[in-house]
Amino acid sequence: MTTAITIAATPIRRQRRSAVTRRRLLDAAEKVFGECGFHAAAISQITHTAGMAQGTFYVHFNNKEELFSQLVADISRSLRHEMTRAAASALDRLAAERAGLVAFFDFTHRHPGLYRIVQEAQFVDLPSYRRYYERLADGYARALGRAADTGEIAPGDAQTRAWALMGVGHFLGLYHCQWQGRVPDAATLDAAMDLIAHGLNGDAKKANK
């Protein structure tokens, strides 16, 4: 019985160790690619940063290009997960918008290489670059569509809205998190939410005072 359990458990332990090693390589790659860029980064730098032998790299990835593409996908999944989780507890769509922005800014601040890595993807692996934004937009559009269907927000083109609102978060994150090195303050969030809620319509803003 004990032997059978031990034998059965061994592949599980191996899978866990493999997942931990892969995670360390992805984290190291994010740091190295973010600091050096794709072309200047070397596999030896990545494995050194991960604290492992260079040969271990090839157990998990065929080359630097594959690692980079997997890293872009990993960043995309992590970002979407954090934003979705943050927005899930919001009471309405506008509260979800603010929660999503906060989560995006926090993620961007904690991942200083994000912008460089994603922007380089358009030259290293264009499909990965497009998938990064398209998956964000698709999930965003579905949430906006549901909110319009229930009357939380006015009817409108959910895809166009999703891409436009992503632009708001993208450039605010670029300016504040990347260039200023800080998460936007409450006043900045208030200004962004005012634009999202009322647009540039002065009459609509006055009517809600």
Side-chain angles (χ1 to χ4, degrees):
M1 178 71 72
T2 302
T3 303
I5 293 174
T6 302
I7 293 172
T10 299
I12 295 175
R13 286 199 296 269
R14 287 175 180 167
Q15 289 174 4
R16 288 174 179 169
R17 286 198 298 270
S18 178
V20 169
T21 301
R22 182 182 175 86
R23 181 73 263 163
R24 284 170 59 189
L25 284 167
L26 285 167
D27 290 343
E30 181 179 343
K31 179 176 175 59
V32 174
F33 286 137
E35 291 177 353
C36 304
F38 173 80
H39 294 290
I43 290 174
S44 59
Q45 285 177 280
I46 294 169
T47 53
H48 176 76
T49 301
M52 58 185 63
Q54 188 167 342
T56 305
F57 175 92
Y58 295 100
V59 175
H60 299 273
F61 303 99
N62 291 318
N63 48 49
K64 187 171 71 168
E65 288 78 8
E66 182 183 351
L67 171 60
F68 185 84
S69 296
Q70 290 297 314
L71 175 60
V72 174
D74 182 73
I75 289 173
S76 175
R77 281 191 298 270
S78 297
L79 174 58
R80 285 182 282 122
H81 173 75
E82 292 200 16
M83 292 179 69
T84 300
R85 184 176 60 181
S89 59
L91 297 178
D92 56 40
R93 187 59 226 173
L94 288 179
E97 290 294 327
R98 188 181 186 104
L101 277 177
V102 170
F104 174 73
F105 296 144
D106 181 64
F107 186 92
T108 301
H109 185 65
R110 289 186 287 108
H111 296 264
L114 182 149
Y115 277 87
R116 180 171 191 170
I117 291 167
V118 173
Q119 293 308 305
E120 273 201 301
Q122 65 182 307
F123 306 108
V124 177
D125 184 358
L126 183 59
S128 290
Y129 173 74
R130 289 190 57 170
R131 280 194 298 271
Y132 173 87
Y133 287 109
E134 287 170 347
R135 286 176 178 171
L136 279 171
D138 288 345
Y140 202 170
R142 286 194 295 272
L144 291 170
R146 289 192 296 269
D149 290 341
T150 59
E152 288 187 68
I153 60 175
D157 184 336
Q159 276 287 334
T160 298
R161 286 174 166 180
W163 285 97
L165 291 170
M166 281 168 53
V168 172
H170 176 88
F171 284 103
L172 285 175
L174 178 65
Y175 177 72
H176 289 280
C177 302
Q178 294 287 298
W179 295 354
Q180 306 297 321
R182 59 181 176 82
V183 172
D185 58 20
T188 301
L189 279 168
D190 289 342
M193 287 307 304
D194 180 69
L195 177 63
I196 291 170
H198 306 297
L200 301 177
N201 188 340
D203 291 336
K205 185 175 180 181
K206 291 174 184 176
N208 281 275
K209 285 187 175 180

